[in-house]
């Protein structure tokens, strides 16, 4: 009976794994095949090997924009957002953690309330301000916006971590005559790298996939990030599935690599209370 | 902001968390100022602006003229809004139910101390990593009749390969729900698996000695012990699915014939396609009120339950 149920669970796990993995495998496989082969036999491996799909995806349709642009924009947005959120968030989280408990809980209400604000309530004002300040189609400005949106979770997680930071280490630093800022930069930050990394990875994954805001603020094709580019691309290439799948590969592979390298850090971030925004 | 800075500094300095490590509140305020400014700029100001815009007839450029409650009257008397709200509720309830049940089942599957569970966990989290639009585009291509992967597989199984589910108003929403389950199960799965990990193993041993079967163990021990995390997961899923713009827009753009136009998609069309930003802002305010209400009710419930335990 026990053995039977063990076999049942294993079968269930394998089926689940197939359902989870199947899209990844086919995105990759189909991105190397020609349109006619995909239409004729999507499950098979027959036909020509077409690496040209990736070249087409990178350059885009004739006269259009391709993943070369999208990729660069996404990298810019990710770097601005992740670095800014980590620096500003860590600074705030650390100094708030030094406050007396009564004050701390009050101050933390600010990021806590911010986490429940839905994007639909923010979208139109974002557009209005970006439009009025001439920042539409500007990936750097969108990166700053993403940093702000990632701040609440970043602060809450880092604050919880800094609270447990060993007091003796900070006292030793104080005895050495280091001021608060120096203690923070020289002692606290180097010892907090795993937590900073975990939070930053969650921010990275969220920013890499964010669509609802980007589709509104980055309307010019040359300014678009990968998730918006994927949609633009789908309508541009309509019937030519090869380059579309190559584009999906380019959208997915970078985060997959990050995930496989930092998988432990990412699960740690989730268990510390992290979400994707 | 300078005013706030000065008044903050007049608060009497208190002892820091540890003796000898006093930090002046003014110092904390200066260090947190960048974060505070950004939070005000990104959350507080837009909320106020959103309310202001919802009372205006702004069309995407020029000055913002206040016209009073016209937008709200228009939205609340239009069948479009109520139809969309109904769709949103149906989508939210179906997707949340599917996601939470799948996540629970998967979490139980990897917390039975079997070899390889770590690998399954790592792999099953993958859908949470993919950009939402990439998953949306992949699945929408895959359910095309004849040429799509899903139809091809169904054809091989003898179930026919001509299903045009995404093109039919009667079925499109359910396809999107299915894909939502594929994408969104991963995250709550990991959270619930973590919660089950924290259940003390002695409880299961005692249960086994008493002859409780697997189902009984889950129902009487696991479930009550992970209730706090489960309630939080359900609340988050309700809120996220109510907001599920990316997946729905990426798969159907709200079609066919408006059959998947959930509120976030309707708001996008109203504002950015029709140029009626005032009306769209009013929709945003109304959706947010609904969301906050749902969030508060669920959170209060979970708080009450936690207090009762």
């Amino acid at each position: 009976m026990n053995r039977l149920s063990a076999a049942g669970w294993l079968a269930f796990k394998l089926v689940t794994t197939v359902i989870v993995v199947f899209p990844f495998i086919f995105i990759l496989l189909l991105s190397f095949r020609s349109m006619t082969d995909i239409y004729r036999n999507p499950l098979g491996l027959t036909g020509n090997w077409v690496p040209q799909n990736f070249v087409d995806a990178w350059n885009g349709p004739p006269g259009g924009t391709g993943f070369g642009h999208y990729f660069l924009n996404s990298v810019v947005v990710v770097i601005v957002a992740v670095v800014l959120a980590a620096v500003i968030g860590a600074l705030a989280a650390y100094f708030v953690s030094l406050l007396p408990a009564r004050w701390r809980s009050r101050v933390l209400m600010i990021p806590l309330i911010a986490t429940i604000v839905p994007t639909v309530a923010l979208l139109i004002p974002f557009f209005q301000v970006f439009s009025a300040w001439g920042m539409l189609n500007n990936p750097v400005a969108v990166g700053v916006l993403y940093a702000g949106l990632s701040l609440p979770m970043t602060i809450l997680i880092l604050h919880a971590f800094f609270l447990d930071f060993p007091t003796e280490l900070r006292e030793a630093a104080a005895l050495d005559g280091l001021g608060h800022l120096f203690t923070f930069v020289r002692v606290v930050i180097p010892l907090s790298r795993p937590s900073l990394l975990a939070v930053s990875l969650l921010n990275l994954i969220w920013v890499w996939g964010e669509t609802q805001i980007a589709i509104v603020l980055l309307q010019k094709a040359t300014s678009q990030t990968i998730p918006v580019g994927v949609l633009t691309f789908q309508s541009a290439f309509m019937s030519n599935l090869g380059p579309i799948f190559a584009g999906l590969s380019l959208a997915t592979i970078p985060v997959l690599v990050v995930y496989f390298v930092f998988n432990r850090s990412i699960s740690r971030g989730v268990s510390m209370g992290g979400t994707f925004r | 902001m300078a005013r706030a800075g000065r008044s903050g500094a007049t608060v009497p300095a208190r002892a820091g968390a540890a003796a000898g490590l006093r930090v002046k509140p003014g110092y904390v305020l200066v260090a947190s100022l960048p974060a505070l400014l950004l939070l005000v700029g990104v959350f507080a100001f837009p909320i106020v602006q959103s309310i202001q815009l919802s009372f205006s007839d702004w069309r995407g450029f020029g000055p913002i003229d206040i016209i009073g409650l016209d937008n709200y009257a228009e939205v609340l008397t239009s069948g479009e809004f109520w139809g969309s709200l109904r769709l949103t509720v149906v989508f939210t309830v179906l997707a949340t139910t599917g996601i939470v049940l799948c996540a629970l089942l998967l979490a139980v599957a990897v917390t039975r101390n079997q070899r390889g569970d770590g690998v399954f966990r790592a792999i099953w989290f993958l859908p949470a990593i993919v950009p939402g639009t990439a998953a949306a585009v992949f699945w929408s291509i895959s359910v095309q009749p004849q040429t799509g992967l899903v139809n091809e597989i169904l054809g091989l199984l003898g179930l026919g390969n001509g299903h045009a589910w995404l093109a039919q108003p009667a079925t499109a929403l359910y396809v999107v729900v299915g894909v939502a389950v594929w994408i969104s199960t991963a995250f709550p799965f990991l959270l619930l698996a973590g919660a089950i990990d924290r259940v003390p193993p002695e409880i299961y041993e005692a249960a086994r000695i008493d002859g409780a079967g697997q189902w009984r163990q889950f129902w009487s021990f696991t479930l009550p012990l992970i209730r706090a995390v489960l309630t939080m997961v359900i609340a988050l899923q309700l809120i996220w699915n109510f907001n599920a713009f990316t997946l729905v827009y990426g798969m159907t753009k709200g079609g066919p014939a408006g059959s998947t136009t959930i509120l976030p998609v309707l708001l996008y069309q109203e504002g950015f396609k029709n140029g009626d930003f005032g009306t769209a802002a009013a929709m945003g305010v109304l959706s947010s009120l609904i969301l906050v209400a749902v969030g508060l009710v669920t959170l209060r419930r979970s708080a009450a339950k936690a207090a009762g335990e």
Side-chain angles (χ1 to χ4, degrees), chain B residues 109-126:
Chain B
V110 294
T111 46
R112 303 173 66 258
N113 294 318
Q114 301 292 310
R115 227 198 287 170
D117 281 349
V119 178
F120 285 119
R121 278 190 206 206
I123 293 176
W124 293 354
F125 190 66
L126 281 175

Side-chain angles (χ1 to χ4, degrees), chain A residues 2 5-6 9-10 12-14 16-24 26-27 30 38-43 84 88-89 91-93 95-100 102-104 110-111 114-129 131 144-145 147-152 155 163 167 170-171 174 179-182 202 205 208-213 215-216 219 226-228 230-231 234-235 241 244-245 248 251-252 255-256 259-260 263 266-267 270-271 273-277, chain B residues 11-12 14-25 27-28 30-32 34-36 38-39 41-43 45-47 49-50 53 58 60-62 64 102 105-106 108-110 112 114-117 120-142 146-150 152-153 156 182 187 190-191 198 214 236 239-240 243 245-246 249-251 253 263-264 267-268 271-272 276-278 280-281 283-285 287-288 291-292 296 299:
Chain A
N2 253 339
S5 107
W9 278 112
L10 187 63
F12 171 75
K13 286 180 191 172
L14 293 176
T16 306
T17 306
V18 169
I19 294 172
V20 166
V21 171
F22 140 99
F24 294 93
F26 275 96
I27 285 176
L30 294 182
I38 296 176
Y39 277 131
R40 197 175 301 142
N41 180 11
L43 287 172
L84 200 61
I88 293 183
L91 200 61
F95 282 96
V96 169
S97 79
L98 297 180
L99 285 171
R102 236 154 36 96
W103 277 92
R104 241 175 22 230
I110 299 171
T115 53
I116 59 167
V117 177
T119 311
V120 280
L122 306 171
L123 211 52
I124 300 208
F126 284 165
F127 176 77
Q128 195 258 322
V129 170
S131 161
V144 175
L145 182 63
L149 291 167
S150 326
L151 262 185
I155 291 177
L163 265 191
T167 328
R170 280 196 272 119
E171 278 169 344
H180 284 297
L181 196 59
F182 271 93
L202 295 182
I205 292 168
W208 188 264
E210 204 292 325
T211 310
Q212 198 175 5
I213 296 166
I215 202 174
V216 160
Q219 296 187 5
I226 282 179
V228 185
V230 163
L231 295 181
Q234 190 197 17
S235 27
L241 292 180
I244 291 180
F245 279 107
L248 296 183
T252 313
V255 257
L256 280 186
Y259 178 66
F260 282 120
N263 148 40
I266 291 170
S267 341
V270 173
S271 64
T275 58
F276 297 129
R277 148 105 158 90
Chain B
V11 172
R14 287 171 194 278
L21 287 168
R22 284 157 198 275
V23 60
K24 291 194 184 105
Y27 206 106
V28 176
V30 171
S32 330
L36 195 61
L38 206 49
L39 287 176
V42 166
F43 291 99
F45 170 74
I47 290 175
Q49 186 73 348
S50 196
L53 282 164
W58 195 60
F61 47 83
I64 299 166
C102 285
L105 187 60
L106 298 197
V108 170
V110 294
R112 303 173 66 258
Q114 301 292 310
R115 227 198 287 170
D117 281 349
F120 285 119
R121 278 190 206 206
I123 293 176
W124 293 354
F125 190 66
L126 281 175
I129 308 291
V130 197
T133 54
V137 168
F138 170 81
W139 284 108
S140 66
I141 293 174
S142 298
Q146 276 89 37
T147 57
L149 284 170
V150 172
E152 185 77 6
I153 293 172
L156 288 178
W182 184 85
F187 193 83
L190 204 62
L191 283 180
R198 290 191 291 273
Q214 282 183 23
L236 281 179
I239 293 172
W240 287 347
N243 249 324
F245 172 83
T246 303
Y249 190 75
M251 285 192 76
K253 306 242 183 322
L263 280 178
L267 181 146
Y268 175 78
F272 298 92
D276 269 330
F277 287 89
M283 287 177 181
V285 171
S287 321
S288 309
L291 270 179
V292 170
L296 284 181
L299 286 180

Side-chain angles (χ1 to χ4, degrees), chain A residues 30-232:
Chain A
L30 294 182
S31 63
F32 284 105
R33 302 183 65 208
S34 74
M35 180 181 70
T36 37
D37 289 334
I38 296 176
Y39 277 131
R40 197 175 301 142
N41 180 11
L43 287 172
L45 289 169
T46 50
N48 296 327
W49 178 257
V50 195
Q52 179 66 26
N53 287 338
F54 280 89
V55 178
D56 290 345
W58 190 260
N59 295 326
T65 359
F67 273 77
H69 273 106
Y70 305 146
F71 205 89
L72 188 71
N73 293 328
S74 271
V75 169
V76 168
V77 166
V78 163
I79 291 177
V80 171
V82 170
V83 171
L84 200 61
V87 171
I88 293 183
L91 200 61
Y94 176 70
F95 282 96
V96 169
S97 79
L98 297 180
L99 285 171
R102 236 154 36 96
W103 277 92
R104 241 175 22 230
S105 55
R106 281 178 206 167
V107 173
L108 286 179
M109 285 307 286
I110 299 171
L112 207 58
I113 290 170
T115 53
I116 59 167
V117 177
T119 311
V120 280
L122 306 171
L123 211 52
I124 300 208
F126 284 165
F127 176 77
Q128 195 258 322
V129 170
F130 269 61
S131 161
W133 291 6
M135 294 189 305
L136 287 176
N137 305 316
N138 181 345
V140 175
V142 172
V144 175
L145 182 63
Y146 284 159
L149 291 167
S150 326
L151 262 185
M153 183 200 75
T154 308
I155 291 177
L156 289 172
I157 291 186
L158 290 179
H159 175 265
F161 174 79
F162 289 142
L163 265 191
D164 293 335
F165 195 84
T167 328
E168 307 82 59
L169 286 175
R170 280 196 272 119
E171 278 169 344
L175 283 179
D176 286 348
L178 290 182
H180 284 297
L181 196 59
F182 271 93
T183 310
F184 173 68
V185 175
R186 292 276 172 77
V187 181
V188 178
I189 288 295
L191 291 170
S192 312
R193 257 186 243 149
S195 299
L196 282 168
L197 179 68
V199 172
S200 296
L201 288 166
L202 295 182
N203 289 341
L204 181 154
I205 292 168
W206 176 69
V207 170
W208 188 264
E210 204 292 325
T211 310
Q212 198 175 5
I213 296 166
I215 202 174
V216 160
L217 300 181
L218 303 172
Q219 296 187 5
K220 213 167 88 188
T222 48
S223 74
Q224 285 173 344
T225 51
I226 282 179
V228 185
V230 163
L231 295 181
T232 312

